[in-house]
Amino acid sequence: NSGSLLIITSEPPNEISFNLGDLESRIRSCISTKIELPDDNFLFSILVKELSDKKIFLNDKLCLYIIRRIKRNYKSVSLFAKTLDIMSLEQKTKITLKQIKEVLNVIETNS
């Protein structure tokens, strides 16, 4: 049939052994790609977007400080923005480097 198939795996599909020769042949002929962790520029953009959604605007220097210390995945960036938002709303003060360090420490110990 004219359908589509999406295979998600931690190993490249062409390195997986299948019991059916025909299936193995078809899998090897498929296009595959690897999703890498985000680079600094992309992570920076994600962080700015996450913070912007919460009406938090930090200067570039602080954002660079954060991305150099945070785990390199989308979940950590989202958790950072959420935690910083909660902390800033509770403390009702301008966001400082000290608060950013606290949030980084909190999400590091919780993940």
Side-chain angles (χ1 to χ4, degrees):
N1 296 338
S2 60
S4 299
L5 177 66
L6 174 65
I7 299 174
I8 300 173
T9 177
S10 59
E11 299 178 41
N14 61 350
E15 292 180 11
I16 299 173
S17 181
F18 295 94
N19 292 333
L20 300 170
D22 184 46
L23 176 60
E24 191 165 346
S25 168
R26 290 174 188 255
I27 294 295
R28 290 183 195 278
S29 69
C30 292
I31 297 171
S32 64
T33 187
K34 183 176 182 180
I35 300 173
E36 301 284 344
L37 293 175
D39 64 9
D40 283 353
N41 291 333
F42 191 61
L43 198 62
F44 184 93
S45 298
I46 294 169
L47 176 64
V48 169
K49 168 74 169 89
E50 287 285 330
L51 293 173
S52 175
D53 288 348
K54 298 180 181 338
K55 305 295 186 234
I56 298 172
F57 303 98
L58 301 177
N59 65 41
D60 289 353
K61 188 176 177 181
L62 287 175
C63 289
L64 288 171
Y65 178 88
I66 295 163
I67 65 167
R68 290 190 179 122
R69 287 157 180 83
I70 199 167
K71 286 186 180 178
R72 307 199 64 75
N73 60 53
Y74 310 107
K75 182 180 176 183
S76 292
V77 173
S78 179
L79 182 59
F80 175 86
K82 181 180 177 182
T83 307
L84 185 64
D85 185 40
I86 291 168
M87 182 182 284
S88 68
L89 290 172
E90 287 174 352
Q91 295 178 359
K92 298 180 184 175
T93 60
K94 184 178 176 184
I95 296 172
T96 64
L97 181 58
K98 181 181 177 187
Q99 289 171 316
I100 289 172
K101 288 179 182 180
E102 287 175 29
V103 172
L104 287 169
N105 188 38
V106 166
I107 66 169
E108 181 67 30
T109 56
N110 290 337
S111 57

